Amino acid sequence: MLQLSRRISYTIESIISVNQIIAFVYVIPLALTLSGCGGDTTASNLPKNSTPSSKPLPEEYRVLASHLSMEMKSDPGHFRDNREIAEIMADVQSTLLDLREIKSNDKEIMYLSDQVQNANTLFLQCINNLNALPKPADEGTLFVGSMLDGFFGNFLGSYHRGLDAEAKQNALNVELQSAIAAVDQLEAALLLLPKVAEKYSATLSDSAGRIVVDFNESWGDSGPNDWLVLQNRGETLKDCTILVQLTGASGKVRKNVHFLETWPSNSSMWGRYQSGEKVLGRTVEKTTVTQVQELDITIYSPQFATQIQYVYQGAEKDKDIVQICKDLSFQGAYQPYESGVIWDTQRGAQITLNGVSFLPKCRVDVAFRKGEQSKGWHWNHDSWMKGETKSFNTPKGGLTFDPDRVDFEVSFPNTNYKYKSTLTVDLKSGK
């Protein structure tokens, strides 16, 4: 599949090593939170059954959609990253060869084919130009060269070295801007695919449990990607165009389009959605939104079509976080009061994260208790890494007794999930 924006990210990483373009590596999450599918979908007012299409889907549409649409895989581990430039260029050239053979009576198919060909041609030109252009020295080379110039009094040499690097980078940026324009053209064509597919689709009907949706948003150590899982519990489907609209907490919307030539019965297909990467002040390859609230999914095929609204906020998101945190644990130690020469060490607790590799932004409530006595405070942390020990020291004079237990609660924004534990203090040892 084409996915031109992904190819731009790979090509940039392979061709250029400069400060303003940051290469990234995606890690396929292995957490059990991504296994299986969610519950049944919400009820709809659509008819119970689809009426199959009377118009056969043109073969030209299959060719176009297979090259243009976003990937879906039967296993999340099948997604690939960091491909070689030669392989990317070969794929683009193969796409051009296939699309140039398209001859269709459907004017919309021909229009989209032309748009995709133009975008691919522009992208190939950008790759060739980027390969041919001289590259600026990396930051370390420039620093060492400037240091030597300065040491030997060659200030003009240092100045011209910087100008040369800037000129080379500007030339590269021109080509990158053209590549980004190709991405924009491609994405505009992608969003028109469902419009064509609808003409050859069965009528919309209630999913009635035939298609089951599950969504997993990136959180904590689950990995950097959001994941959509669609399970087909009915008969095998052919030529499915799938429009997925994600809506975030701020109201921002992202539309993604997939195509499955064959979707076997009782099988699940995975879609990977990413937060994107900054290139020249633009975010490319962004296929998700922040704090996904709901997904509106439309499936078109000649046999069957349906619309599904899946609400992710609330219980659906909470159950994912519960699964991610199933091994979460902490190790704690009480910090008794200690008088010092310059300052005193106040009572508090030292708590270490175990069980998971990373926790995102969280609030920690700690209550120190002894009999009827109780004093509590809370702390906010941007992150917490496995093995990291955080100190929860009380303010001066705030805690006047040594507790026999410490109640510990961790909560997170945008979810009702909370981790609670009680740490027992050994009063004899003071730990």
Side-chain angles (χ1 to χ4, degrees):
M1 297 184 183
L2 181 59
Q3 298 197 84
L4 184 56
S5 61
R6 180 181 304 282
R7 289 175 179 166
I8 286 180
S9 293
Y10 298 159
T11 304
I12 289 169
E13 181 178 353
S14 301
I15 297 175
I16 307 169
S17 176
V18 291
N19 232 14
Q20 59 264 52
I21 301 170
I22 304 172
F24 58 96
V25 177
Y26 294 104
V27 179
I28 298 297
L30 300 176
L32 290 177
T33 181
L34 295 181
S35 63
C37 288
D40 204 351
T41 55
T42 55
S44 73
N45 296 320
L46 293 170
K48 184 176 180 181
N49 298 309
S50 285
T51 301
S53 172
S54 59
K55 299 170 63 177
L57 184 75
E59 176 61 29
E60 298 84 13
Y61 178 83
R62 294 187 186 93
V63 175
L64 176 65
S66 64
H67 284 298
L68 180 59
S69 63
M70 298 171 59
E71 292 178 308
M72 291 199 93
K73 302 285 190 181
S74 59
D75 187 314
H78 292 166
F79 285 87
R80 292 183 59 198
D81 293 304
N82 304 321
R83 299 165 64 200
E84 295 295 327
I85 295 174
E87 183 182 358
I88 294 171
M89 294 180 71
D91 278 355
V92 176
Q93 291 166 344
S94 175
T95 297
L96 283 171
L97 291 174
D98 287 346
L99 295 183
R100 285 169 182 166
E101 295 298 317
I102 287 182
K103 299 291 187 291
S104 177
N105 294 324
D106 189 314
K107 293 182 179 179
E108 290 178 323
I109 291 177
M110 291 304 300
Y111 173 79
L112 292 183
S113 177
D114 289 342
Q115 293 297 304
V116 178
Q117 288 182 66
N118 291 339
N120 274 277
T121 301
L122 176 58
F123 183 66
L124 273 179
Q125 291 173 349
C126 292
I127 293 180
N128 288 326
N129 292 342
L130 285 168
N131 276 329
L133 285 170
K135 311 303 183 291
D138 61 36
E139 203 170 64
T141 302
L142 285 175
F143 173 77
V144 172
S146 298
M147 181 182 68
L148 292 174
D149 285 337
F151 182 79
F152 291 107
N154 185 12
F155 300 107
L156 284 177
S158 178
Y159 173 73
H160 287 298
R161 192 191 307 274
L163 288 180
D164 177 67
E166 182 179 358
K168 289 177 180 177
Q169 184 59 57
N170 287 339
L172 293 171
N173 289 348
V174 169
E175 296 303 326
L176 291 173
Q177 292 285 9
S178 296
I180 291 172
V183 171
D184 292 339
Q185 186 175 356
L186 186 74
E187 290 201 349
L190 174 67
L191 295 179
L192 290 175
L193 267 184
K195 182 176 184 293
V196 180
E198 186 178 6
K199 297 189 300 183
Y200 303 97
S201 174
T203 59
L204 292 171
S205 66
D206 188 352
S207 173
R210 180 172 180 173
I211 306 297
V212 180
V213 180
D214 189 31
F215 183 78
N216 300 272
E217 190 172 37
S218 171
W219 192 94
D221 67 353
S222 67
N225 304 310
D226 296 346
W227 294 89
L228 171 67
V229 191
L230 298 178
Q231 184 182 44
N232 175 21
R233 292 184 174 176
E235 63 185 25
T236 296
L237 294 173
K238 297 285 188 178
D239 301 318
C240 295
T241 301
I242 303 169
L243 171 63
V244 180
Q245 177 176 298
L246 301 95
T247 303
S250 66
K252 288 188 176 180
V253 170
R254 166 70 196 191
K255 294 181 180 180
N256 297 318
V257 181
H258 309 274
F259 178 73
L260 298 174
E261 192 166 343
T262 301
W263 191 356
S265 175
N266 296 315
S267 68
S268 296
M269 301 301 295
W270 298 67
R272 179 175 68 170
Y273 300 151
Q274 301 163 311
S275 58
E277 192 70 16
K278 286 286 186 183
V279 178
L280 301 181
R282 286 278 306 273
T283 301
V284 298
E285 207 179 35
K286 183 176 177 63
T287 52
T288 190
V289 292
T290 303
Q291 295 179 32
V292 174
Q293 301 290 290
E294 66 179 34
L295 292 85
D296 293 288
I297 301 168
T298 306
I299 300 173
Y300 296 113
S301 80
Q303 309 157 254
F304 167 78
T306 190
Q307 287 181 329
I308 305 166
Q309 185 180 68
Y310 175 87
V311 177
Y312 185 63
Q313 61 183 328
E316 279 295 304
K317 182 172 182 176
D318 290 347
K319 73 177 178 61
D320 288 344
I321 297 176
V322 168
Q323 185 65 29
I324 294 169
C325 293
K326 65 183 179 63
D327 296 322
L328 179 62
S329 64
F330 294 89
Q331 181 179 352
Y334 173 62
Q335 170 61 56
Y337 174 84
E338 296 177 358
S339 60
V341 176
I342 300 176
W343 59 76
D344 301 330
T345 300
Q346 302 300 316
R347 295 178 175 88
Q350 307 288 322
I351 299 176
T352 304
L353 171 64
N354 294 317
V356 298
S357 62
F358 167 75
L359 287 179
K361 185 176 182 179
C362 59
R363 166 174 165 151
V364 181
D365 287 81
V366 181
F368 301 88
R369 305 185 189 279
K370 182 178 182 180
E372 298 296 321
Q373 300 181 84
S374 178
K375 291 282 287 185
W377 290 267
H378 78 270
W379 289 260
N380 293 305
H381 293 288
D382 290 332
S383 63
W384 201 338
M385 305 301 294
K386 183 177 182 179
E388 180 184 2
T389 299
K390 291 189 179 293
S391 297
F392 301 90
N393 296 323
T394 62
K396 184 177 180 179
L399 185 61
T400 57
F401 61 89
D402 285 318
D404 55 16
R405 65 190 187 280
V406 178
D407 289 342
F408 175 72
E409 178 182 286
V410 185
S411 57
F412 307 91
N414 308 307
T415 175
N416 292 319
Y417 170 78
K418 296 180 180 180
Y419 177 93
K420 298 180 180 181
S421 181
T422 296
L423 309 174
T424 302
V425 179
D426 184 345
L427 293 178
K428 291 182 179 180
S429 64
K431 297 182 179 179

